[in-house]
Amino acid sequence: MFQRILVANRGEIALRILRAATELGVETVAVYSMGDEGAPYLDLADETICIGPAASGASYLSIPSIISAAEVADVDAIHPGYGFLSENAAFAETCRESNIEFIGPSHETMRLLGDKANARKLAQAHKVPIVPGSDGLLKDEKEAVKIAEEFGYPVLIKATAGGGGRGMRVAHNDMSLVNAFHQARAEAQSAFGDAGVYVEKYLDNPRHVEIQIIGDSHGSVIHLGERECSVQRRHQKLLEETPSPALTRDMRKKMGQAAIRLAKAAKYVGAGTVEFLVEGKHFYFIEVNARIQVEHPITEMVTSIDLLKEQIRVASGEKLSIEQNRVRWHGHSIEVRINAEDPNKDFAPSPGTISRYIAPGGPGIRIDTHIFGGYRVPPHYDSLIAKLIVHGPDRQAAIRTLERALDEYVIEGIKTTIPLLREIVRNSYFVKGDYNTGFIDEFFQL
Ligand code: ADP
C-alpha cells in the first residue's frame, strides 16, 4: 500500500478521496488554488500546497505545478478525481516518468479508450455492440453523407476527443450533415485540439445506462452493475439511479460481460465506466470513462464496496478485494446533483456565499459535499456543490426518502437546482420508471 498520496482535485471529490485515504491509513497531501484557499476540507489533509491562481488552467490543470507539488511533498501516487487531469494521458505518462503512480489506468489504456473512434473499433473487435456508424474517423463530408444514407437520418456527428456533451451535432438531411461535419470539426479542434470526427446513427431518445467496472494489475476485471443516467439536460446528467428500471436480468448480465470483455481487451487497471445507450432489449456501446465518476456513490450504496478505496488498492498493486461471484446488490439507490445554478436563468452559474445551510439526515441518506453555511462558492469551477444520495429497500422507498430529503434541504444565499430536482422526483413518469433521455425536454420547459 502507498504511504502518501496527493489529491489533484478540489471540492467534494477531493474530500471523498481524503476520507478514503485516511481510512486506509495513507497520508494525504491536498493541493489547492488561490480560489480554494482556506476551504475547511483542506484541514483533513496531512499537508497542503498552493499550486497557483484560481483559474484552473494555471492550477488544477497545470501538469508542471502538480508534478512539482508531488515531488516536493514526496508522494508515492496521485489521485486525479474526475474532470481536470483525470483523463489526460499525457499527465498519466508524466507521472510514470516522474516515478509517481497515477491512480487510474495506464497512459496507453487511456490513449486507446480516450479516442472514441478507436474505442468503437476495439468494442467491435470484441463483439461489444456499437451504435451503427462510421468505421473510424470520417475523411470528408462525402463519406459522412454516404454513411448517413446507408443507416438513415437523423445522424450524430461526434468528436473523437469529445466529452461533456461538446463536439456533438445532429443532422437530419444531407445539407445539415455537411454543415454539422464542418462545425463539429471546428468545435472539436478548438475545444480538444483534435478535429477528428465520426458519425453515429442518432437514436430516438434512448436510455443511457452505464456499467461500473474495476480491474487490478493481476488480470482480474469485475463489474458492479449498472447506473441509469437518462435524466439529462443537454446531455448532462442530473439524477442517476441503480438498478435501472429498464434492464432485465439477462440484459444486465450481457452488458456486464460486454463491459468486462472491453476492459480486458484494453488491459484496464482501476475503476472505469463503460457507457451504453439502450433501446428496448438492445444495448449499444458509446464510450469508456477512464476515471471515477460523479455518480459512483449509488454503486457503493447497493454493493457496499468502497470504490475509492478499491481504486487506491489496485493502483498500489494489490489484488481486487472481491471476486465477481461474491458481488451482491442490495436495495435501490438514487443520486441527485445539486448545482449552484439558476434554473430560471438558463442554468447560469450562481456563485456566492451560502447564508443558510441545513442538510437532510436520517435513515438512508448520504451527502457528499464540501459546502456548509458561510461557504463561498467560487465562480471559477464546475457548479456541482453537493450530491444527495439515498438508499432504500426498493425503488419506491428510495424515491420517498429522496422526496423528503430534498424537502428538508435548505441552501440559501445562492440559487441551486434543488427546486427542479423536487419536481423531477414527483413526476409520475419518473415515479413509474418510464423515462429516457428525452424526459427533461418532454416535461420541463428549461
Ligand atoms: P460525452 O462524452 O460528450 O458526454 P457521450 O457519447 O457520452 O458524450 O454522449 C452523451 C449523451 O448524448 C448520451 O448520454 C445520450 O443522451 C446522447 N447520445 C450520445 N450518442 C447518441 C446517439 N447515437 N443517439 C442518441 N443520443 C446519443
Side-chain angles (χ1 to χ4, degrees):
M1 179 47 70
F2 301 125
Q3 211 191 326
R4 199 169 159 80
I5 68 170
L6 180 141
V7 181
N9 214 299
R10 64 172 302 280
E12 75 85 17
I13 195 65
L15 175 54
R16 173 77 187 89
I17 301 164
L18 290 171
R19 286 173 170 156
T22 304
E23 286 185 19
L24 286 171
V26 175
E27 288 172 26
T28 54
V29 178
V31 297
Y32 64 95
S33 75
M34 272 136 85
D36 284 322
E37 198 164 3
Y41 68 85
L42 295 168
D43 295 344
L44 299 187
D46 294 297
E47 187 181 340
T48 58
I49 300 177
C50 181
I51 47 165
S56 48
S59 50
Y60 299 111
L61 281 170
S62 163
I63 297 179
S65 304
I66 291 173
I67 296 288
S68 315
E71 284 179 338
V72 168
D74 197 19
V75 298
D76 309 311
I78 298 183
H79 196 306
Y82 53 66
F84 297 125
L85 295 171
S86 61
E87 291 186 278
N88 186 315
F91 178 59
E93 192 171 4
T94 309
C95 288
R96 181 183 290 176
E97 285 163 358
S98 315
N99 275 322
I100 299 166
E101 203 64 48
F102 173 81
I103 302 179
S106 70
H107 66 89
E108 290 94 347
T109 300
M110 281 167 78
R111 282 218 171 81
L112 178 64
L113 298 173
D115 182 299
K116 295 192 193 190
N118 262 345
R120 270 168 66 85
K121 280 191 192 160
L122 188 70
Q124 208 169 16
H126 291 83
K127 302 207 164 22
V128 175
I130 58 172
V131 183
S134 50
D135 286 331
L137 297 180
L138 291 169
K139 283 195 285 294
D140 51 31
E141 66 266 36
K142 284 195 210 96
E143 193 185 353
V145 170
K146 204 169 136 249
I147 294 168
E149 277 165 1
E150 200 177 313
F151 296 114
Y153 282 101
V155 297
L156 188 61
I157 298 271
K158 280 186 168 181
T160 194
R166 282 181 306 169
M168 288 199 281
R169 281 268 188 294
V170 187
H172 294 271
N173 53 50
D174 290 1
M175 207 160 78
S176 71
L177 178 56
V178 171
N179 285 335
F181 174 82
H182 292 290
Q183 281 169 352
R185 277 182 68 85
E187 196 175 312
Q189 180 64 43
S190 78
F192 313 111
D194 178 348
V197 296
Y198 61 102
V199 67
E200 274 180 2
K201 175 141 186 64
Y202 188 63
L203 304 180
D204 181 24
N205 292 332
R207 285 187 176 243
H208 173 122
V209 183
E210 58 191 30
I211 302 284
Q212 175 71 52
I213 53 128
I214 185 155
D216 65 21
S217 55
H218 304 268
S220 300
V221 182
I222 62 171
H223 82 85
L224 300 178
E226 81 277 13
R227 291 185 289 259
E228 162 75 62
C229 309
S230 300
V231 180
Q232 303 179 349
R233 177 183 171 270
R234 302 200 183 148
H235 307 309
Q236 305 271 357
K237 300 163 188 168
L238 297 173
L239 173 154
E240 304 92 0
E241 64 175 313
T242 187
S244 164
L247 292 200
T248 60
R249 192 181 283 237
D250 182 52
M251 284 169 81
R252 179 169 297 119
K253 193 168 163 201
K254 285 192 179 132
M255 289 171 73
Q257 287 169 344
I260 290 175
R261 273 204 304 283
L262 185 59
K264 286 196 168 163
K267 299 194 170 50
Y268 202 96
V269 177
T273 300
V274 183
E275 297 191 328
F276 295 96
L277 297 179
V278 170
E279 258 187 349
K281 296 227 169 322
H282 300 281
F283 61 89
Y284 308 94
F285 165 76
I286 47 172
E287 65 166 338
V288 176
N289 286 153
R291 54 170 161 81
I292 193 75
Q293 279 190 308
V294 172
E295 59 270 29
H296 76 274
I298 58 173
T299 301
E300 297 184 323
M301 299 307 277
V302 297
T303 60
S304 302
I305 294 171
D306 184 316
L307 277 163
L308 271 290
K309 284 192 202 163
E310 211 63 29
Q311 258 192 316
I312 299 172
R313 280 197 198 103
V314 297
S316 78
E318 289 182 19
K319 287 189 169 170
L320 282 170
S321 70
I322 188 162
E323 287 164 26
Q324 186 70 63
N325 59 15
R326 293 196 174 263
V327 178
R328 296 282 178 276
W329 289 268
H330 296 283
H332 198 97
S333 183
I334 312 175
E335 171 186 279
V336 289
R337 299 187 185 200
I338 297 171
N339 294 339
E341 289 171 358
D342 188 348
N344 293 323
K345 286 195 185 141
D346 199 27
F347 293 82
S350 177
T353 300
I354 296 174
S355 53
R356 190 156 176 259
Y357 181 82
I358 305 171
I365 299 207
R366 163 175 169 183
I367 297 174
D368 281 18
T369 188
H370 60 294
I371 68 164
F372 52 88
Y375 176 75
R376 192 181 52 82
V377 178
H380 317 283
Y381 312 109
D382 188 87
S383 56
L384 179 76
I385 51 169
K387 306 188 308 203
L388 167 61
I389 303 120
V390 300
H391 183 256
D394 57 40
R395 188 168 187 271
Q396 290 312 315
I399 291 175
R400 280 295 302 139
T401 301
L402 182 57
E403 261 180 45
R404 134 166 110 86
L406 281 167
D407 288 348
E408 278 182 31
Y409 219 146
V410 178
I411 302 179
E412 286 173 7
I414 57 167
K415 296 273 190 262
T416 75
T417 43
I418 290 176
L420 168 65
L421 296 167
R422 285 182 185 140
E423 284 183 50
I424 292 173
V425 297
R426 289 185 167 87
N427 176 285
S428 63
Y429 288 86
F430 174 75
V431 172
K432 278 188 280 181
D434 181 10
Y435 65 92
N436 56 37
T437 50
F439 171 75
I440 291 288
D441 281 346
E442 187 174 346
F443 293 104
F444 298 85
Q445 277 74 51
L446 299 178

mmCIF file with all atom_site columns, all heavy atoms in Angstrom, residues 280-296:
data_model
loop_
_atom_site.group_PDB
_atom_site.id
_atom_site.type_symbol
_atom_site.label_atom_id
_atom_site.label_alt_id
_atom_site.label_comp_id
_atom_site.label_asym_id
_atom_site.label_entity_id
_atom_site.label_seq_id
_atom_site.pdbx_PDB_ins_code
_atom_site.Cartn_x
_atom_site.Cartn_y
_atom_site.Cartn_z
_atom_site.occupancy
_atom_site.B_iso_or_equiv
_atom_site.pdbx_formal_charge
_atom_site.auth_seq_id
_atom_site.auth_comp_id
_atom_site.auth_asym_id
_atom_site.auth_atom_id
_atom_site.pdbx_PDB_model_num
ATOM 1   N N   . GLY A 1 280 ? -35.118 -0.562 -25.973 1.00 0.00 ? 280 GLY A N   1
ATOM 2   C CA  . GLY A 1 280 ? -35.785 -1.858 -25.791 1.00 0.00 ? 280 GLY A CA  1
ATOM 3   C C   . GLY A 1 280 ? -34.819 -2.857 -25.191 1.00 0.00 ? 280 GLY A C   1
ATOM 4   O O   . GLY A 1 280 ? -34.186 -2.588 -24.165 1.00 0.00 ? 280 GLY A O   1
ATOM 5   N N   . LYS A 1 281 ? -34.658 -3.989 -25.879 1.00 0.00 ? 281 LYS A N   1
ATOM 6   C CA  . LYS A 1 281 ? -33.759 -5.020 -25.354 1.00 0.00 ? 281 LYS A CA  1
ATOM 7   C C   . LYS A 1 281 ? -32.348 -4.892 -25.913 1.00 0.00 ? 281 LYS A C   1
ATOM 8   O O   . LYS A 1 281 ? -31.475 -5.713 -25.630 1.00 0.00 ? 281 LYS A O   1
ATOM 9   C CB  . LYS A 1 281 ? -34.302 -6.410 -25.715 1.00 0.00 ? 281 LYS A CB  1
ATOM 10  C CG  . LYS A 1 281 ? -35.638 -6.725 -25.067 1.00 0.00 ? 281 LYS A CG  1
ATOM 11  C CD  . LYS A 1 281 ? -35.629 -8.100 -24.456 1.00 0.00 ? 281 LYS A CD  1
ATOM 12  C CE  . LYS A 1 281 ? -36.834 -8.364 -23.574 1.00 0.00 ? 281 LYS A CE  1
ATOM 13  N NZ  . LYS A 1 281 ? -37.274 -7.227 -22.774 1.00 0.00 ? 281 LYS A NZ  1
ATOM 14  N N   . HIS A 1 282 ? -32.118 -3.863 -26.751 1.00 0.00 ? 282 HIS A N   1
ATOM 15  C CA  . HIS A 1 282 ? -30.802 -3.717 -27.379 1.00 0.00 ? 282 HIS A CA  1
ATOM 16  C C   . HIS A 1 282 ? -29.947 -2.702 -26.653 1.00 0.00 ? 282 HIS A C   1
ATOM 17  O O   . HIS A 1 282 ? -30.447 -1.681 -26.198 1.00 0.00 ? 282 HIS A O   1
ATOM 18  C CB  . HIS A 1 282 ? -30.963 -3.292 -28.839 1.00 0.00 ? 282 HIS A CB  1
ATOM 19  C CG  . HIS A 1 282 ? -31.739 -4.292 -29.640 1.00 0.00 ? 282 HIS A CG  1
ATOM 20  N ND1 . HIS A 1 282 ? -31.167 -5.452 -30.105 1.00 0.00 ? 282 HIS A ND1 1
ATOM 21  C CD2 . HIS A 1 282 ? -33.041 -4.320 -29.999 1.00 0.00 ? 282 HIS A CD2 1
ATOM 22  C CE1 . HIS A 1 282 ? -32.093 -6.159 -30.729 1.00 0.00 ? 282 HIS A CE1 1
ATOM 23  N NE2 . HIS A 1 282 ? -33.250 -5.504 -30.680 1.00 0.00 ? 282 HIS A NE2 1
ATOM 24  N N   . PHE A 1 283 ? -28.652 -2.989 -26.587 1.00 0.00 ? 283 PHE A N   1
ATOM 25  C CA  . PHE A 1 283 ? -27.738 -2.012 -25.999 1.00 0.00 ? 283 PHE A CA  1
ATOM 26  C C   . PHE A 1 283 ? -26.567 -1.786 -26.934 1.00 0.00 ? 283 PHE A C   1
ATOM 27  O O   . PHE A 1 283 ? -26.171 -2.688 -27.672 1.00 0.00 ? 283 PHE A O   1
ATOM 28  C CB  . PHE A 1 283 ? -27.275 -2.456 -24.610 1.00 0.00 ? 283 PHE A CB  1
ATOM 29  C CG  . PHE A 1 283 ? -26.522 -3.758 -24.571 1.00 0.00 ? 283 PHE A CG  1
ATOM 30  C CD1 . PHE A 1 283 ? -25.146 -3.791 -24.725 1.00 0.00 ? 283 PHE A CD1 1
ATOM 31  C CD2 . PHE A 1 283 ? -27.198 -4.960 -24.381 1.00 0.00 ? 283 PHE A CD2 1
ATOM 32  C CE1 . PHE A 1 283 ? -24.448 -4.987 -24.696 1.00 0.00 ? 283 PHE A CE1 1
ATOM 33  C CE2 . PHE A 1 283 ? -26.507 -6.168 -24.343 1.00 0.00 ? 283 PHE A CE2 1
ATOM 34  C CZ  . PHE A 1 283 ? -25.123 -6.181 -24.504 1.00 0.00 ? 283 PHE A CZ  1
ATOM 35  N N   . TYR A 1 284 ? -26.074 -0.549 -26.935 1.00 0.00 ? 284 TYR A N   1
ATOM 36  C CA  . TYR A 1 284 ? -25.007 -0.157 -27.846 1.00 0.00 ? 284 TYR A CA  1
ATOM 37  C C   . TYR A 1 284 ? -23.946 0.616  -27.073 1.00 0.00 ? 284 TYR A C   1
ATOM 38  O O   . TYR A 1 284 ? -24.266 1.614  -26.406 1.00 0.00 ? 284 TYR A O   1
ATOM 39  C CB  . TYR A 1 284 ? -25.556 0.767  -28.942 1.00 0.00 ? 284 TYR A CB  1
ATOM 40  C CG  . TYR A 1 284 ? -26.756 0.229  -29.666 1.00 0.00 ? 284 TYR A CG  1
ATOM 41  C CD1 . TYR A 1 284 ? -28.050 0.573  -29.260 1.00 0.00 ? 284 TYR A CD1 1
ATOM 42  C CD2 . TYR A 1 284 ? -26.604 -0.626 -30.755 1.00 0.00 ? 284 TYR A CD2 1
ATOM 43  C CE1 . TYR A 1 284 ? -29.164 0.080  -29.920 1.00 0.00 ? 284 TYR A CE1 1
ATOM 44  C CE2 . TYR A 1 284 ? -27.713 -1.123 -31.422 1.00 0.00 ? 284 TYR A CE2 1
ATOM 45  C CZ  . TYR A 1 284 ? -28.991 -0.771 -30.999 1.00 0.00 ? 284 TYR A CZ  1
ATOM 46  O OH  . TYR A 1 284 ? -30.080 -1.253 -31.649 1.00 0.00 ? 284 TYR A OH  1
ATOM 47  N N   . PHE A 1 285 ? -22.704 0.200  -27.215 1.00 0.00 ? 285 PHE A N   1
ATOM 48  C CA  . PHE A 1 285 ? -21.591 0.886  -26.557 1.00 0.00 ? 285 PHE A CA  1
ATOM 49  C C   . PHE A 1 285 ? -21.425 2.311  -27.118 1.00 0.00 ? 285 PHE A C   1
ATOM 50  O O   . PHE A 1 285 ? -21.508 2.505  -28.322 1.00 0.00 ? 285 PHE A O   1
ATOM 51  C CB  . PHE A 1 285 ? -20.306 0.077  -26.819 1.00 0.00 ? 285 PHE A CB  1
ATOM 52  C CG  . PHE A 1 285 ? -19.051 0.812  -26.515 1.00 0.00 ? 285 PHE A CG  1
ATOM 53  C CD1 . PHE A 1 285 ? -18.650 0.993  -25.205 1.00 0.00 ? 285 PHE A CD1 1
ATOM 54  C CD2 . PHE A 1 285 ? -18.267 1.343  -27.534 1.00 0.00 ? 285 PHE A CD2 1
ATOM 55  C CE1 . PHE A 1 285 ? -17.480 1.695  -24.908 1.00 0.00 ? 285 PHE A CE1 1
ATOM 56  C CE2 . PHE A 1 285 ? -17.104 2.038  -27.246 1.00 0.00 ? 285 PHE A CE2 1
ATOM 57  C CZ  . PHE A 1 285 ? -16.716 2.216  -25.928 1.00 0.00 ? 285 PHE A CZ  1
ATOM 58  N N   . ILE A 1 286 ? -21.212 3.294  -26.247 1.00 0.00 ? 286 ILE A N   1
ATOM 59  C CA  . ILE A 1 286 ? -20.817 4.622  -26.759 1.00 0.00 ? 286 ILE A CA  1
ATOM 60  C C   . ILE A 1 286 ? -19.413 5.044  -26.361 1.00 0.00 ? 286 ILE A C   1
ATOM 61  O O   . ILE A 1 286 ? -18.655 5.507  -27.188 1.00 0.00 ? 286 ILE A O   1
ATOM 62  C CB  . ILE A 1 286 ? -21.827 5.765  -26.483 1.00 0.00 ? 286 ILE A CB  1
ATOM 63  C CG1 . ILE A 1 286 ? -22.337 5.797  -25.055 1.00 0.00 ? 286 ILE A CG1 1
ATOM 64  C CG2 . ILE A 1 286 ? -22.946 5.759  -27.505 1.00 0.00 ? 286 ILE A CG2 1
ATOM 65  C CD1 . ILE A 1 286 ? -23.174 7.056  -24.741 1.00 0.00 ? 286 ILE A CD1 1
ATOM 66  N N   . GLU A 1 287 ? -19.047 4.892  -25.084 1.00 0.00 ? 287 GLU A N   1
ATOM 67  C CA  . GLU A 1 287 ? -17.682 5.292  -24.726 1.00 0.00 ? 287 GLU A CA  1
ATOM 68  C C   . GLU A 1 287 ? -17.301 4.756  -23.358 1.00 0.00 ? 287 GLU A C   1
ATOM 69  O O   . GLU A 1 287 ? -18.156 4.314  -22.590 1.00 0.00 ? 287 GLU A O   1
ATOM 70  C CB  . GLU A 1 287 ? -17.533 6.820  -24.748 1.00 0.00 ? 287 GLU A CB  1
ATOM 71  C CG  . GLU A 1 287 ? -18.376 7.521  -23.705 1.00 0.00 ? 287 GLU A CG  1
ATOM 72  C CD  . GLU A 1 287 ? -17.979 8.984  -23.491 1.00 0.00 ? 287 GLU A CD  1
ATOM 73  O OE1 . GLU A 1 287 ? -16.847 9.371  -23.813 1.00 0.00 ? 287 GLU A OE1 1
ATOM 74  O OE2 . GLU A 1 287 ? -18.814 9.735  -22.979 1.00 0.00 ? 287 GLU A OE2 1
ATOM 75  N N   . VAL A 1 288 ? -15.993 4.849  -23.070 1.00 0.00 ? 288 VAL A N   1
ATOM 76  C CA  . VAL A 1 288 ? -15.494 4.472  -21.743 1.00 0.00 ? 288 VAL A CA  1
ATOM 77  C C   . VAL A 1 288 ? -15.044 5.740  -21.038 1.00 0.00 ? 288 VAL A C   1
ATOM 78  O O   . VAL A 1 288 ? -14.367 6.574  -21.641 1.00 0.00 ? 288 VAL A O   1
ATOM 79  C CB  . VAL A 1 288 ? -14.294 3.505  -21.853 1.00 0.00 ? 288 VAL A CB  1
ATOM 80  C CG1 . VAL A 1 288 ? -13.726 3.197  -20.463 1.00 0.00 ? 288 VAL A CG1 1
ATOM 81  C CG2 . VAL A 1 288 ? -14.685 2.217  -22.554 1.00 0.00 ? 288 VAL A CG2 1
ATOM 82  N N   . ASN A 1 289 ? -15.411 5.894  -19.783 1.00 0.00 ? 289 ASN A N   1
ATOM 83  C CA  . ASN A 1 289 ? -14.864 6.972  -18.967 1.00 0.00 ? 289 ASN A CA  1
ATOM 84  C C   . ASN A 1 289 ? -13.812 6.339  -18.061 1.00 0.00 ? 289 ASN A C   1
ATOM 85  O O   . ASN A 1 289 ? -14.145 5.555  -17.167 1.00 0.00 ? 289 ASN A O   1
ATOM 86  C CB  . ASN A 1 289 ? -15.936 7.643  -18.120 1.00 0.00 ? 289 ASN A CB  1
ATOM 87  C CG  . ASN A 1 289 ? -16.839 8.545  -18.952 1.00 0.00 ? 289 ASN A CG  1
ATOM 88  O OD1 . ASN A 1 289 ? -17.984 8.775  -18.605 1.00 0.00 ? 289 ASN A OD1 1
ATOM 89  N ND2 . ASN A 1 289 ? -16.339 9.061  -20.061 1.00 0.00 ? 289 ASN A ND2 1
ATOM 90  N N   . ALA A 1 290 ? -12.565 6.695  -18.332 1.00 0.00 ? 290 ALA A N   1
ATOM 91  C CA  . ALA A 1 290 ? -11.445 6.028  -17.655 1.00 0.00 ? 290 ALA A CA  1
ATOM 92  C C   . ALA A 1 290 ? -11.088 6.723  -16.338 1.00 0.00 ? 290 ALA A C   1
ATOM 93  O O   . ALA A 1 290 ? -9.978  7.191  -16.145 1.00 0.00 ? 290 ALA A O   1
ATOM 94  C CB  . ALA A 1 290 ? -10.244 5.990  -18.594 1.00 0.00 ? 290 ALA A CB  1
ATOM 95  N N   . ARG A 1 291 ? -12.061 6.802  -15.439 1.00 0.00 ? 291 ARG A N   1
ATOM 96  C CA  . ARG A 1 291 ? -11.853 7.531  -14.174 1.00 0.00 ? 291 ARG A CA  1
ATOM 97  C C   . ARG A 1 291 ? -12.991 7.192  -13.226 1.00 0.00 ? 291 ARG A C   1
ATOM 98  O O   . ARG A 1 291 ? -13.936 6.514  -13.623 1.00 0.00 ? 291 ARG A O   1
ATOM 99  C CB  . ARG A 1 291 ? -11.888 9.036  -14.449 1.00 0.00 ? 291 ARG A CB  1
ATOM 100 C CG  . ARG A 1 291 ? -13.171 9.422  -15.167 1.00 0.00 ? 291 ARG A CG  1
ATOM 101 C CD  . ARG A 1 291 ? -13.381 10.913 -15.267 1.00 0.00 ? 291 ARG A CD  1
ATOM 102 N NE  . ARG A 1 291 ? -14.317 11.285 -16.288 1.00 0.00 ? 291 ARG A NE  1
ATOM 103 C CZ  . ARG A 1 291 ? -15.638 11.264 -16.178 1.00 0.00 ? 291 ARG A CZ  1
ATOM 104 N NH1 . ARG A 1 291 ? -16.214 10.866 -15.066 1.00 0.00 ? 291 ARG A NH1 1
ATOM 105 N NH2 . ARG A 1 291 ? -16.404 11.628 -17.185 1.00 0.00 ? 291 ARG A NH2 1
ATOM 106 N N   . ILE A 1 292 ? -12.913 7.707  -12.004 1.00 0.00 ? 292 ILE A N   1
ATOM 107 C CA  . ILE A 1 292 ? -14.059 7.589  -11.102 1.00 0.00 ? 292 ILE A CA  1
ATOM 108 C C   . ILE A 1 292 ? -15.097 8.593  -11.611 1.00 0.00 ? 292 ILE A C   1
ATOM 109 O O   . ILE A 1 292 ? -14.743 9.657  -12.102 1.00 0.00 ? 292 ILE A O   1
ATOM 110 C CB  . ILE A 1 292 ? -13.641 7.884  -9.628  1.00 0.00 ? 292 ILE A CB  1
ATOM 111 C CG1 . ILE A 1 292 ? -14.719 7.452  -8.644  1.00 0.00 ? 292 ILE A CG1 1
ATOM 112 C CG2 . ILE A 1 292 ? -13.308 9.350  -9.403  1.00 0.00 ? 292 ILE A CG2 1
ATOM 113 C CD1 . ILE A 1 292 ? -14.816 5.983  -8.414  1.00 0.00 ? 292 ILE A CD1 1
ATOM 114 N N   . GLN A 1 293 ? -16.376 8.251  -11.508 1.00 0.00 ? 293 GLN A N   1
ATOM 115 C CA  . GLN A 1 293 ? -17.396 9.189  -11.984 1.00 0.00 ? 293 GLN A CA  1
ATOM 116 C C   . GLN A 1 293 ? -18.118 9.864  -10.833 1.00 0.00 ? 293 GLN A C   1
ATOM 117 O O   . GLN A 1 293 ? -18.162 9.348  -9.707  1.00 0.00 ? 293 GLN A O   1
ATOM 118 C CB  . GLN A 1 293 ? -18.413 8.446  -12.833 1.00 0.00 ? 293 GLN A CB  1
ATOM 119 C CG  . GLN A 1 293 ? -17.930 8.225  -14.252 1.00 0.00 ? 293 GLN A CG  1
ATOM 120 C CD  . GLN A 1 293 ? -19.036 7.705  -15.125 1.00 0.00 ? 293 GLN A CD  1
ATOM 121 O OE1 . GLN A 1 293 ? -19.674 6.721  -14.767 1.00 0.00 ? 293 GLN A OE1 1
ATOM 122 N NE2 . GLN A 1 293 ? -19.264 8.326  -16.248 1.00 0.00 ? 293 GLN A NE2 1
ATOM 123 N N   . VAL A 1 294 ? -18.734 10.996 -11.146 1.00 0.00 ? 294 VAL A N   1
ATOM 124 C CA  . VAL A 1 294 ? -19.520 11.744 -10.163 1.00 0.00 ? 294 VAL A CA  1
ATOM 125 C C   . VAL A 1 294 ? -20.529 10.811 -9.481  1.00 0.00 ? 294 VAL A C   1
ATOM 126 O O   . VAL A 1 294 ? -20.713 10.853 -8.264  1.00 0.00 ? 294 VAL A O   1
ATOM 127 C CB  . VAL A 1 294 ? -20.265 12.908 -10.866 1.00 0.00 ? 294 VAL A CB  1
ATOM 128 C CG1 . VAL A 1 294 ? -21.242 13.583 -9.908  1.00 0.00 ? 294 VAL A CG1 1
ATOM 129 C CG2 . VAL A 1 294 ? -19.286 13.923 -11.432 1.00 0.00 ? 294 VAL A CG2 1
ATOM 130 N N   . GLU A 1 295 ? -21.170 9.954  -10.272 1.00 0.00 ? 295 GLU A N   1
ATOM 131 C CA  . GLU A 1 295 ? -22.292 9.157  -9.755  1.00 0.00 ? 295 GLU A CA  1
ATOM 132 C C   . GLU A 1 295 ? -21.868 7.828  -9.130  1.00 0.00 ? 295 GLU A C   1
ATOM 133 O O   . GLU A 1 295 ? -22.713 6.960  -8.892  1.00 0.00 ? 295 GLU A O   1
ATOM 134 C CB  . GLU A 1 295 ? -23.321 8.920  -10.874 1.00 0.00 ? 295 GLU A CB  1
ATOM 135 C CG  . GLU A 1 295 ? -22.810 8.194  -12.122 1.00 0.00 ? 295 GLU A CG  1
ATOM 136 C CD  . GLU A 1 295 ? -22.257 9.113  -13.203 1.00 0.00 ? 295 GLU A CD  1
ATOM 137 O OE1 . GLU A 1 295 ? -21.751 10.200 -12.871 1.00 0.00 ? 295 GLU A OE1 1
ATOM 138 O OE2 . GLU A 1 295 ? -22.286 8.728  -14.389 1.00 0.00 ? 295 GLU A OE2 1
ATOM 139 N N   . HIS A 1 296 ? -20.557 7.665  -8.820  1.00 0.00 ? 296 HIS A N   1
ATOM 140 C CA  . HIS A 1 296 ? -20.114 6.383  -8.260  1.00 0.00 ? 296 HIS A CA  1
ATOM 141 C C   . HIS A 1 296 ? -20.799 6.010  -6.939  1.00 0.00 ? 296 HIS A C   1
ATOM 142 O O   . HIS A 1 296 ? -20.934 4.821  -6.633  1.00 0.00 ? 296 HIS A O   1
ATOM 143 C CB  . HIS A 1 296 ? -18.578 6.371  -8.082  1.00 0.00 ? 296 HIS A CB  1
ATOM 144 C CG  . HIS A 1 296 ? -18.112 7.169  -6.910  1.00 0.00 ? 296 HIS A CG  1
ATOM 145 N ND1 . HIS A 1 296 ? -17.873 8.532  -6.984  1.00 0.00 ? 296 HIS A ND1 1
ATOM 146 C CD2 . HIS A 1 296 ? -17.881 6.828  -5.624  1.00 0.00 ? 296 HIS A CD2 1
ATOM 147 C CE1 . HIS A 1 296 ? -17.507 8.963  -5.793  1.00 0.00 ? 296 HIS A CE1 1
ATOM 148 N NE2 . HIS A 1 296 ? -17.497 7.961  -4.946  1.00 0.00 ? 296 HIS A NE2 1
#
